[in-house]
Amino acid sequence: MDAANVHNYKRHITSFEILPCDERFLGDQLWVVQIKGSAFLWHQIRCMVAVLFFIGQGLESPNVIDVLLDIERTPRKPQYKMAPEIPLVLQSCEFEGLKFSCSSEARQALQAHLEKECRSYKLQAAIFHEALQCLCIKTDGSWPNRITKKKESSHIPLMLRATEPSYEERCTKLTTGSGRRKGNYGAPHA
């Protein structure tokens, strides 16, 4: 949260869809999240996706979204690791009165670059897949069943985690120039 430069943290999401992707990997369906809005906060999408992953894994209830969006009930963001940035793609930006254009040469160069990158990542995926297959061979030459048991994680519910300073607390820190003021932010709250 950039309290020194940003004073309006409200954003309007116009569309939010979770759709199946054309790609599959080892029988697993890949999905795409398409989010459209008038503007986004720094790391907003990564935070939104991280919470969706918690819900999808059964670690959080879907109602945690309503609780997190209620700033009276939850004035401070719980601390958690954001979703990785690598699969995120900003498809387009639109501004009133401004139209972006791309020359055919630039479009062709971008397409060639993306096709090269796609081939490279597919090759890397195939290599890793082959390496995994090598690890799965039993000494008698047979293949074991796919490993399904995951290490149990000790998930701390979002609403019981330490929190970041609120907007007001950040503003106070900026105006006083001091470190953390007395209080209990950073501690779990109900």
Side-chain angles (χ1 to χ4, degrees), residues 4 9 19-20 54 68 89 94 98 127 176 180:
Y9 291 91
L19 306 164
F54 287 138
L68 289 170
V89 176
E94 298 173 8
L98 182 62
I127 291 168
T176 62
R180 286 189 164 195

Side-chain angles (χ1 to χ4, degrees), residues 2 35 50 56 62 70 76 81 126 128 166 168 172:
D2 185 2
I35 305 170
D70 183 347
R76 300 176 191 96
K81 190 174 178 179
F128 287 125
S166 68
E168 291 77 16
T172 300

Side-chain angles (χ1 to χ4, degrees), residues 41 48 74-76 84 112 149 170 187:
L41 297 170
M48 290 168 61
T74 312
R76 300 176 191 96
K149 185 164 182 155
R170 289 175 194 255

Side-chain angles (χ1 to χ4, degrees), residues 49-181:
V49 171
V51 172
L52 288 176
F53 283 160
F54 287 138
I55 293 168
Q57 294 168 0
L59 300 172
E60 294 287 341
S61 167
N63 72 354
V64 76
I65 294 171
D66 292 328
V67 174
L68 289 170
L69 290 174
D70 183 347
I71 60 172
E72 297 296 321
R73 194 167 159 190
T74 312
R76 300 176 191 96
K77 178 187 161 293
Q79 295 178 356
Y80 55 87
K81 190 174 178 179
M82 294 184 289
E85 75 279 358
I86 192 71
L88 298 180
V89 176
L90 176 60
Q91 284 186 323
S92 68
C93 289
E94 298 173 8
F95 299 92
E96 287 183 29
L98 182 62
K99 182 168 173 48
F100 291 102
S101 62
C102 180
S103 69
S104 62
E105 295 85 17
R107 185 178 305 278
Q108 288 173 352
L110 178 59
Q111 182 172 349
H113 170 74
L114 292 175
E115 287 172 351
K116 180 181 174 187
E117 291 292 306
C118 188
R119 281 191 303 274
S120 174
Y121 282 114
K122 284 184 176 182
L123 177 60
Q124 288 180 37
I127 291 168
F128 287 125
H129 177 68
E130 190 63 30
L132 284 170
Q133 297 300 327
C134 292
L135 291 175
C136 293
I137 299 175
K138 288 186 176 180
T139 53
D140 64 1
S142 65
W143 294 87
N145 291 335
R146 191 172 178 185
I147 300 169
T148 55
K149 185 164 182 155
K150 281 176 66 175
K151 181 182 172 187
E152 294 294 323
S153 66
S154 55
H155 175 75
I156 299 170
L158 289 175
M159 301 317 299
L160 296 179
R161 293 180 183 216
T163 57
E164 297 180 3
S166 68
Y167 174 72
E168 291 77 16
E169 291 162 339
R170 289 175 194 255
C171 287
T172 300
K173 182 179 176 182
L174 286 171
T175 58
T176 62
S178 64
R180 286 189 164 195
R181 66 178 205 181

